[in-house]
Amino acid sequence: MQWWNRLRKHPKFHVYFSVLLLLTLCTVAFLWNLGSTGLVDETEPLFAEAARQMVVTGDWITPYFNGETRFDKPPLVYWLMAVGYQIFGTNEWAVRLPSALGAIALTLGCFWTLLYFGGSPSPEKEPKPRFWLTAWIGSALVTLNPQTLIWARTGVSDMLLSGCMGCALLCFFWGYASSVEGTGNREQGIAPRPRAADKAQGNARQDGNREKKKPGNIKLLPNKGYFAFYILTAFAVLAKGPVGIVIPGLTIFIFLLCVGRFWQVVREMGIFVGGAVFLVLTVPWYVLVILRNGQTYIDSFFGYHNFERFTGVVNGHGAPWFFYFGVVLVGCLPWSVYLPLAIARSMRFYKIVRLRFWKRSRLRKQPRSEQLGLFALCWFFSIFGFFTIAVTKLPSYTLPLIPAAAILVALYWSQIFTAIPKRPQRLIARQGAAVRPRAAERRATPRRRQGARERASSKRPAQAFEETSNDADLGTRTKTEGRGQKGQTDADREWDIHQDSGKKVAKEWGFLATGIFNALLLLVLAIVAFYSPNLIGYDPAAPNLGELFRQTGLHLRGGIIWGMVSGAIALLLLQPQIRRWILLANLLGFFAFIIFALMPASEFIDRERQLPLRELAATITQVQQPGEEIFMTGFKKPSLVFYTQRPVNFIGDKNSAIARLQQEPTNAPTLLLLAQPTTFANTFDLQPNQYENLGQRGAYQLIRLDKQILLNSPEQ
């Protein structure tokens, strides 16, 4: 770490480098070419058009799509899109900006939290290198994974929910760790050692203040962290409904049970004021939409889209109970392979498997600022377990657990990736109490005691204590093999313990086996990339998509990138001294994959699959006559409604078209029909001389048809 010691002479470099890193990550992953591709059918246009209808009609209470109410989701995502339309215009950038902002907020929140709580108390005032590195690693992990990348660039409510929920939980931990009744320092997030009197009383400690608070006292006002938690949880409820409070509440409940501070934290959270703020932000819209739509909204939103999704299969989205194991592995690649190691290591330290809820004195004594790893464990397992129990299963449901997974892996890797500098000579006594001398030393005369200490120090190694689990655990007391030296502080001993812990962990068999699996998995991914054109199934909207993709050569780029990363990891595994750079190789490989393969591939798919529909939508807006209706058959593409900004009748066959015309006849003698060219002859029994061809793009053809020809034709 000589390079770090040189950089520490310039403290502002930390800030400048962090800002540059975060700007680069967020710009490339979330903002670069955000609006360069069209809306992707089938879900994204539903949100975009509902928001546009709010701007057009001025009705900001009831969402509508294509003339019908849309009760799938609450209004927050629609409101943000509508505001974006008024600022940036009605375009794809405004549609996807709320999702991008949610992902950016998660990245910043994880970075800031890990910066202050991602390490242990240190004998110096400023954060140690591990704090900064842990924060950099954590922010990179939150950003560089397929799930975050895809949903942050998609205009739906999933990423907004994850951003609000994730930031709410991070704010809760800030409030928990920096509470005046907690153990944390407000500025550094560093906890001093508990005083014996505080242990005996069982009360929380205050920084530099011995005053005790009565257990029954309830705080009226929450601190800043708790207050932000209430606001962001309200936003989560407005983003996707009751799940926005159920998941954070479940996570916090499990965490507080584990640490044995449930009622203490409830008293200090200012729950009455915070609850009032939460209700003021969430209840008004739900009351207004129920008053306007009545039982229809209650049955649709609360009944169908919430209760039935949990208890039954909705829209055919069923899957086996182990579905999310594969989703997390694939959705968090390439770093998800180290998640089991990180979980196991944290569980071993916090003794989750053997934890007895009636014997939690160890966790109660532990400073709050050192419990980020335990909080991330509760966060991860509460979401994973909740949606595993739910009957309806979708890949996007695991999106809110990605910040917790990233924190766990960052805490694990910070120990491997960081070489801790030698123990400082100057000790700060307030970081911990001195170790008591052995009984023989206490009975000896001062001269004999000094000689015994010198002989003991020459025979006994300084690092006489066993290793703890990860960076978040460095500040806890560990079991000793020897008593240490007289006058040595707890923080000083811990500093000795972990000087070479990163190298030790890198040599463990579990880490080595996971690294080998990492290299093999990326090799398989490279092979899949090479053969990806053959794996693309038939798509009626782009029948030749696989062959056209082969001609671009993008599959070769992706295969080469992952093959090179796999080879680099294999080489790193051969040298134990440099194995710590495996994670960096994974992240750089994924970063290169985004720039050179994934972004060009998304533009290619948009050009072949979505662009023809947008071009015909532009044609419709130019040729449509007054009162002329638009029909689409063979496809159900909601993006046609958004790009034409007109109602579209989605029909299944000729009979449904006739029924629609007979139900609500219009004065216009013709209609516009969009379908595949073969549909007109096979489904509608039309000859080329019976309709006017207005344009053909890709798999779509637009015609103008006389209504009487359709109405007079025999039904099938």
Side-chain angles (χ1 to χ4, degrees):
M1 297 296 288
Q2 294 180 356
W3 63 274
W4 182 269
N5 293 329
R6 288 195 297 267
L7 294 175
R8 289 177 62 191
K9 298 178 181 178
H10 307 282
K12 291 185 179 179
F13 171 82
H14 300 151
V15 178
Y16 296 151
F17 182 81
S18 299
V19 171
L20 179 62
L21 173 66
L22 294 175
L23 285 178
T24 303
L25 281 175
C26 295
T27 300
V28 174
F30 307 137
L31 299 177
W32 180 39
N33 290 338
L34 182 63
S36 61
T37 58
L39 301 182
V40 180
D41 291 303
E42 309 295 332
T43 306
E44 193 176 23
L46 300 176
F47 288 86
E49 176 62 14
R52 193 189 68 84
Q53 285 293 320
M54 285 187 173
V55 177
V56 172
T57 63
D59 185 357
W60 293 66
I61 302 300
T62 304
Y64 288 91
F65 173 80
N66 202 26
E68 299 179 354
T69 56
R70 173 173 166 78
F71 294 143
D72 296 45
K73 301 295 181 290
L76 183 61
V77 65
Y78 305 132
W79 290 346
L80 294 177
M81 289 179 181
V83 172
Y85 292 158
Q86 296 177 331
I87 298 175
F88 304 106
T90 305
N91 51 49
E92 294 85 354
W93 172 272
V95 172
R96 295 164 179 160
L97 187 59
S99 297
L101 293 178
I104 293 172
L106 267 183
T107 302
L108 297 177
C110 287
F111 177 86
W112 200 250
T113 302
L114 285 168
L115 179 63
Y116 287 99
F117 304 111
S120 68
S122 62
E124 296 186 7
K125 293 182 179 180
E126 63 175 330
K128 286 295 174 185
R130 68 178 58 256
F131 286 83
W132 289 94
L133 287 176
T134 306
W136 294 336
I137 293 172
S139 59
L141 296 181
V142 171
T143 304
L144 299 178
N145 63 84
Q147 271 200 303
T148 300
L149 193 65
I150 291 172
W151 293 110
R153 304 178 69 88
T154 305
V156 295
S157 60
D158 296 84
M159 195 68 236
L160 182 62
L161 170 70
S162 181
C164 293
M165 187 185 300
C167 291
L169 287 170
L170 292 174
C171 287
F172 167 82
F173 188 81
W174 271 89
Y176 170 80
S178 60
S179 173
V180 295
E181 290 193 286
T183 61
N185 182 288
R186 289 180 179 275
E187 300 297 330
Q188 299 290 343
I190 298 174
R193 291 292 173 190
R195 300 182 180 93
D198 292 334
K199 288 183 182 179
Q201 294 292 335
N203 298 326
R205 303 174 298 278
Q206 299 185 26
D207 296 333
N209 189 347
R210 297 296 299 272
E211 180 182 355
K212 307 291 187 303
K213 287 186 175 292
K214 295 181 180 180
N217 289 349
I218 298 178
K219 290 187 63 176
L220 180 62
L221 296 176
N223 63 25
K224 294 179 181 179
Y226 290 142
F227 192 77
F229 163 76
Y230 291 119
I231 295 176
L232 290 169
T233 304
F235 289 162
V237 172
L238 288 175
K240 210 159 184 175
V243 70
I245 184 63
V246 171
I247 294 298
L250 180 63
T251 300
I252 294 171
F253 178 75
I254 295 174
F255 172 69
L256 294 181
L257 284 184
C258 289
V259 298
R261 289 171 171 158
F262 181 80
W263 291 114
Q264 178 185 350
V265 174
V266 168
R267 287 191 294 268
E268 73 188 28
M269 284 183 66
I271 195 168
F272 294 109
V273 173
V277 171
F278 173 83
L279 294 176
V280 167
L281 291 175
T282 56
V283 169
W285 178 82
Y286 283 98
V287 171
L288 291 174
V289 74
I290 291 174
L291 290 176
R292 183 170 297 184
N293 299 279
Q295 192 66 30
T296 303
Y297 175 80
I298 297 175
D299 295 339
S300 177
F301 179 72
F302 292 102
Y304 181 75
H305 291 290
N306 284 274
F307 182 75
E308 288 190 26
R309 282 181 181 269
F310 189 82
T311 58
V313 178
V314 173
N315 296 332
H317 298 305
W321 65 270
F322 52 84
F323 174 71
Y324 288 122
F325 287 92
V327 170
V328 173
L329 175 63
V330 176
C332 296
L333 282 174
W335 51 265
S336 57
V337 293
Y338 298 98
L339 183 58
L341 274 181
I343 292 176
R345 200 165 181 82
S346 293
M347 291 182 69
R348 184 178 67 183
F349 170 75
Y350 291 111
K351 299 181 180 179
I352 297 299
V353 177
R354 295 179 294 170
L355 181 64
R356 300 177 181 179
F357 288 100
W358 57 92
K359 293 182 179 180
R360 292 164 290 180
S361 58
R362 178 176 178 271
L363 291 178
R364 287 194 186 101
K365 295 173 184 176
Q366 190 179 47
R368 294 188 180 189
S369 60
E370 298 174 18
Q371 295 175 344
L372 180 60
L374 178 60
F375 184 70
L377 278 174
C378 298
W379 182 348
F380 180 89
F381 282 116
S382 62
I383 295 178
F384 191 90
F386 181 83
F387 288 113
T388 297
I389 295 173
V391 180
T392 299
K393 291 179 171 59
L394 286 171
S396 61
Y397 288 173
T398 61
L399 191 62
L401 63 76
I402 287 181
I407 289 173
L408 290 171
V409 176
L411 293 175
Y412 173 75
W413 268 95
S414 63
Q415 184 180 7
I416 300 174
F417 202 82
T418 307
I420 303 178
K422 292 183 179 180
R423 172 176 55 88
Q425 296 299 322
R426 299 182 62 184
L427 306 177
I428 300 179
R430 64 173 301 182
Q431 291 296 333
V435 178
R436 296 180 61 188
R438 292 182 298 179
E441 294 182 359
R442 292 198 301 268
R443 292 193 298 268
T445 62
R447 181 176 299 178
R448 291 181 179 178
R449 189 181 306 154
Q450 178 65 24
R453 286 200 302 268
E454 292 176 356
R455 290 191 299 272
S457 62
S458 64
K459 295 179 181 179
R460 185 172 57 250
Q463 300 174 2
F465 301 86
E466 63 183 26
E467 178 186 341
T468 54
S469 64
N470 56 33
D471 268 358
D473 313 325
L474 298 183
T476 60
R477 296 179 182 268
T478 57
K479 223 173 188 178
T480 66
E481 298 175 3
R483 291 282 184 173
Q485 300 180 16
K486 181 182 177 181
Q488 191 180 31
T489 64
D490 291 341
D492 182 44
R493 294 200 312 274
E494 290 156 1
W495 205 251
D496 283 336
I497 294 167
H498 296 277
Q499 284 184 9
D500 299 318
S501 59
K503 297 180 181 178
K504 292 178 181 179
V505 176
K507 294 180 181 179
E508 290 180 353
W509 69 267
F511 177 82
L512 180 61
T514 305
I516 295 173
F517 178 73
N518 186 186
L520 293 176
L521 183 61
L522 295 186
L523 182 60
V524 172
L525 194 60
I527 296 173
V528 171
F530 279 123
Y531 289 96
S532 58
N534 300 329
L535 302 177
I536 298 177
Y538 176 77
D539 186 354
N544 300 321
L545 186 62
E547 184 59 32
L548 294 174
F549 184 69
R550 186 192 307 275
Q551 296 175 8
T552 64
L554 293 175
H555 62 295
L556 298 178
R557 291 189 194 178
I560 291 173
I561 290 173
W562 289 123
M564 293 177 61
V565 176
S566 177
I569 292 175
L571 292 176
L572 291 172
L573 287 173
L574 297 177
Q575 299 294 330
Q577 294 80 4
I578 58 175
R579 285 177 186 169
R580 66 187 66 187
W581 298 99
I582 289 177
L583 183 65
L584 183 61
N586 278 282
L587 296 180
L588 290 178
F590 190 81
F591 196 75
F593 180 75
I594 292 174
I595 297 175
F596 298 109
L598 192 59
M599 292 297 183
S602 65
E603 294 176 357
F604 161 78
I605 294 174
D606 174 73
R607 183 171 64 251
E608 297 297 329
R609 192 176 187 273
Q610 297 295 138
L611 181 60
L613 192 60
R614 295 200 301 273
E615 293 176 342
L616 289 178
T619 302
I620 290 174
T621 60
Q622 296 174 359
V623 303
Q624 186 181 24
Q625 299 175 358
E628 198 171 38
E629 292 184 274
I630 305 171
F631 286 77
M632 187 176 194
T633 185
F635 304 94
K636 188 174 183 180
K637 303 296 184 182
S639 61
L640 186 64
V641 181
F642 177 79
Y643 286 112
T644 59
Q645 299 186 4
R646 291 164 171 80
V648 177
N649 299 293
F650 296 101
I651 56 176
D653 53 20
K654 176 181 176 180
N655 295 338
S656 59
I658 295 174
R660 172 67 184 82
L661 292 174
Q662 293 174 344
Q663 181 181 3
E664 297 182 10
T666 59
N667 296 328
T670 60
L671 59 87
L672 298 177
L673 181 60
L674 186 65
Q676 286 181 310
T678 56
T679 302
F680 304 122
N682 299 336
T683 304
F684 285 85
D685 298 325
L686 297 176
Q687 301 300 320
N689 59 352
Q690 293 180 310
Y691 57 83
E692 178 185 359
N693 185 9
L694 300 178
Q696 182 174 350
R697 299 289 187 278
Y700 308 98
Q701 184 175 356
L702 177 65
I703 68 171
R704 175 175 280 123
L705 176 65
D706 192 322
K707 287 183 182 180
Q708 295 303 319
I709 295 177
L710 189 61
L711 291 173
N712 295 334
S713 62
E715 296 185 2
Q716 296 179 348

